[in-house]
């Protein structure tokens, strides 16, 4: 199969890690995989997969609403898909999910799949909810299948008329379970904790989350004083990167308990951080079913988590973790302090975490299930395909070909080892195009290409 994955952002977050795991598994199974992501990305993360995948950066695909850039991103994606002619377009995240699906429909790609990692219309204002729901319903009309990270995500989608029940498939976000179950402490943990070498380890609270406002790092830092009041030598480790880094750093500087809080950035071995922790926490106000919660449990650590949709599928309050109201970060801090003070209760929850059945969160299970859904979508699209002219969402006419009977271009579209940038202006496009008619962008656009480097002219 030829598969295109479209992401709004390529950062070190759960949805991105989930997507990259699928991309690499699909490439390993012999499929042709193209990863398209927006302007915001982690260069190291992109470079780590560029040797195995074709990677394209779409400069006009950004997270905030921007009509002019959204239209530009839509047009560029439509051209790209018309050239590459994938069998499956799998979109992820809210903005890419809407623009990517509409572009795929306009390009007459029959196999359109959307991954529901998070719902943009949950825990937002009424105006935002109406706007996001309208956009999601428009995109849902051309979506053949939805892949939901939890049963709760599926139920909310169906209740809001985003696809029918038979279109939704629950696939848990997979990871290497053994890696987390058998983890040891990181080397020289005192450097992470800000303690002296040889000093006994203090109580450790870990929040493993991208630095984004919806994760509510700042609110938890502000509430953490009540934990310090009860356990003065406690350490809070904030592991992750993201756009809110400077705001989080400022919140730490303002705190009278700054010496108890350690922002350590991205850590390549999260399982070792979990092993080091006594209690793990996640205070998000909006999520799907965050994979990090399962990683906490796989590592045998009790967790304190917000009552997010789907959390009850894995966290049972008082058995393997503590579930606190989504609108009460102070309650999360109080629960953390309770667990640190009550060793027997903490040990009982840790035992419950280790006994949690996480078999459906295995990496192989996720990748196999996604491929099965793709095959089903292909078969459905093939049976529904008609040789007559069909029309895209914007009224453009094009002939729809069966995904299994399309001619394959003999030219290279993109080299796997050369990440590409589609921006604005006018120079030659990526190598592999023999004529301007093959280019998936307007002649007046500039494209800069340099391995591992983002640049626009």
């Amino acid at each position: 199969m030829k598969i295109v994955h479209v992401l709004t952002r390529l950062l070190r977050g759960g949805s991105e890690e989930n997507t990259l795991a699928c991309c690499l598994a699909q490439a390993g199974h012999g499929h042709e995989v193209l990863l398209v992501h927006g302007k915001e990305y982690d260069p190291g993360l992109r470079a780590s997969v560029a040797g195995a995948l074709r990677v394209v950066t779409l400069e006009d695909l950004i997270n905030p609403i921007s009509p002019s850039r959204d239209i530009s991103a839509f047009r560029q994606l439509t051209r790209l898909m018309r050239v590459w002619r994938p069998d499956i377009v799998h979109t992820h995240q809210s903005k890419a999910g809407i623009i990517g699906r509409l572009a795929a429909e306009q390009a007459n790609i029959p196999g359109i799949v959307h991954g529901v990692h998070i719902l943009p219309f949950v825990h937002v204002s009424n105006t935002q909810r109406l706007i996001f729901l309208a956009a999601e319903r428009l995109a849902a009309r051309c979506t053949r299948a939805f892949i939901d990270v939890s049963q709760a995500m599926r139920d909310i989608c169906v209740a809001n008329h985003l696809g029918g029940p038979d279109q939704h498939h629950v696939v848990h976000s997979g990871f290497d379970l053994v890696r987390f179950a058998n983890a040891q402490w990181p080397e020289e943990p005192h450097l992470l904790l800000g303690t002296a070498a040889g000093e006994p380890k203090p109580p450790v609270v870990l929040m493993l989350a991208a630095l984004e406002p919806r994760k509510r790092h700042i609110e938890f830092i502000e509430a953490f004083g009540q934990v310090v009041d009860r356990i003065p030598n406690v350490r809070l480790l904030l592991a992750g990167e993201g756009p809110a880094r400077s705001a989080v750093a400022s919140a730490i500087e303002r705190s009278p308990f700054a010496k108890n809080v350690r922002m350590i950035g991205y850590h390549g071995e999260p399982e070792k951080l979990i092993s080091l922790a006594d209690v793990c926490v996640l205070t998000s106000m909006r999520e799907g079913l965050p994979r990090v919660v399962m990683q906490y449990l796989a590592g045998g650590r009790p967790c304190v988590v917000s009552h997010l949709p789907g959390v009850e599928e894995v966290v049972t309050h008082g058995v393997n973790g503590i579930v606190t109201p989504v609108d009460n970060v102070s309650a999360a801090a109080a629960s953390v302090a309770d667990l640190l003070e009550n060793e027997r209760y903490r040990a009982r929850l840790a035992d419950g975490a280790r006994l949690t059945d996480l078999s459906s969160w295995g990496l192989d299970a996720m990748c196999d299930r996604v491929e099965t859904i793709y095959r089903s979508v292909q078969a459905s699209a093939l049976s529904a395909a008609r040789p007559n002219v069909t029309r895209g969402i914007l009224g453009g006419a094009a002939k729809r070909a069966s995904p299994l009977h399309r001619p394959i271009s003999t030219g290279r579209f993109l080299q796997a080892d050369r990440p590409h940038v589609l921006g604005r202006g006018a120079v030659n496009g990526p190598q592999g195009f023999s004529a301007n008619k093959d280019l998936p962008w307007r002649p007046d656009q500039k494209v800069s290409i340099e391995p591992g480097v983002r640049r626009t002219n």
Side-chain angles (χ1 to χ4, degrees):
M1 282 186 284
K2 297 181 74 173
I3 305 164
V4 173
H5 289 267
V6 188
L7 283 158
T8 310
R9 302 184 295 184
L10 187 62
L11 302 175
R12 295 187 182 273
S15 61
E16 292 94 327
E17 291 176 0
N18 171 298
T19 302
L20 291 180
C22 283
C23 288
L24 293 172
Q26 290 157 7
H29 291 165
H31 301 301
E32 294 183 68
V33 182
L34 172 63
L35 175 66
V36 180
H37 65 82
K39 180 178 182 179
E40 194 174 352
Y41 69 95
D42 182 298
L45 184 59
R46 186 178 73 169
S48 71
V49 299
L53 308 173
R54 298 174 171 92
V55 180
V56 169
T57 298
L58 207 64
E59 291 284 314
D60 282 332
L61 182 55
I62 58 175
N63 194 47
I65 295 174
S66 171
S68 63
R69 300 191 75 168
D70 294 345
I71 291 170
S72 177
F74 166 79
R75 289 172 174 167
Q76 291 180 49
L77 274 172
T78 301
R79 290 185 177 96
L80 185 150
M81 292 178 191
R82 282 175 175 164
V83 170
W84 211 60
R85 301 180 68 82
D87 301 306
I88 297 289
V89 171
H90 188 166
T91 62
H92 311 263
Q93 303 170 339
S94 301
K95 176 68 83 68
I98 293 166
I99 293 177
R101 282 180 284 169
L102 298 183
E105 170 68 6
Q106 185 69 7
N108 287 300
I109 307 300
I112 302 174
V113 178
H114 179 55
V116 184
H117 303 273
I118 189 171
L119 293 171
F121 53 85
V122 175
H123 296 306
V124 295
S125 70
N126 287 335
T127 300
Q128 289 175 310
R129 175 180 169 80
L130 291 173
I131 293 171
F132 291 145
L133 262 178
E136 289 285 350
R137 285 171 179 162
L138 176 63
R141 291 167 50 194
C142 58
T143 308
R144 198 169 286 272
F146 297 84
I147 297 179
D148 309 284
V149 296
S150 72
Q151 183 68 32
M153 291 288 101
R154 173 210 178 268
D155 293 346
I156 293 172
C157 285
V158 173
N160 284 278
H161 310 292
L162 302 178
D166 58 332
Q167 291 178 273
H168 283 267
H169 310 268
V170 176
V171 180
H172 292 141
S173 186
F175 61 97
D176 186 344
L177 295 170
V178 175
R179 174 183 168 192
F180 284 80
N182 298 331
Q184 303 297 315
W185 286 10
E187 294 182 6
E188 299 185 307
H190 66 281
L191 298 179
L192 294 173
L193 300 174
T195 57
E199 182 180 330
K201 181 184 82 69
V204 176
V205 179
L206 172 67
M207 182 186 289
L208 191 61
L211 301 178
E212 299 179 5
R214 65 185 175 89
K215 305 288 187 175
R216 295 193 294 194
H217 293 82
I218 294 173
E219 291 86 343
F220 189 71
I221 291 168
E222 292 170 348
F224 195 66
Q226 62 183 293
V227 182
V228 179
D229 287 341
R230 294 164 63 178
I231 303 98
N233 65 333
V234 67
R235 292 293 187 274
L236 171 61
L237 291 186
L238 303 177
E241 286 291 354
R245 181 181 178 85
S246 60
V248 174
S250 296
I252 295 172
E253 291 175 5
R254 295 193 303 268
S255 172
F257 310 103
K259 67 180 181 62
N260 297 88
V261 184
R262 306 280 294 176
M263 186 167 64
I264 63 175
Y266 169 74
H267 196 285
E269 296 176 309
E271 71 281 4
K272 293 187 176 182
L273 297 180
I274 294 171
S275 177
L276 183 65
D278 296 286
V279 176
C280 298
V281 64
L282 187 69
T283 56
S284 303
M285 65 182 298
R286 245 179 346 107
E287 290 271 11
L289 179 53
R291 183 174 60 167
V292 69
V293 173
M294 272 58 70
Q295 293 173 343
Y296 291 163
L297 297 175
R301 293 297 178 268
C303 56
V304 176
V305 299
S306 301
H307 191 192
L308 300 163
V311 161
E312 67 279 356
E313 295 177 31
V314 286
V315 180
T316 301
H317 184 80
V319 175
N320 58 359
I322 300 295
V323 181
T324 59
V326 73
D327 59 351
N328 193 342
V329 176
S330 180
S335 295
V336 167
D338 290 343
L339 285 175
L340 291 177
E341 286 187 329
N342 192 332
E343 186 175 353
R344 289 185 60 187
Y345 188 32
R346 190 171 72 246
R348 181 158 64 84
L349 294 186
D351 288 340
R354 281 186 285 269
L355 293 173
T356 305
D357 180 10
L358 298 174
S359 56
S360 63
W361 273 268
L363 195 57
D364 290 342
M366 176 187 72
C367 295
D368 290 347
R369 180 78 174 114
V370 169
E371 184 152 341
T372 298
I373 294 167
Y374 285 0
R375 296 293 183 191
S376 175
V377 166
Q378 265 201 314
S380 175
L382 181 60
S383 65
R386 297 187 298 274
N388 59 304
V389 173
T390 60
R391 303 186 69 83
I393 59 160
L394 299 185
K399 289 193 176 182
R400 185 189 297 273
S402 156
L404 300 182
H405 295 84
R406 294 188 180 126
I408 299 177
S409 172
T410 56
R412 294 172 300 160
F413 174 66
L414 293 170
Q415 299 178 19
D417 61 342
R418 291 178 62 84
H420 297 283
V421 178
L422 304 192
R424 301 178 175 182
V427 294
N428 293 332
Q431 296 178 2
F433 288 97
S434 58
N436 286 337
K437 65 182 178 63
D438 290 328
L439 298 176
W441 53 81
R442 300 187 306 277
D444 65 336
Q445 291 177 300
K446 286 186 179 179
V447 181
S448 291
I449 310 162
E450 191 171 335
V453 176
R454 177 184 63 179
R455 185 181 68 192
T456 54
N457 296 322

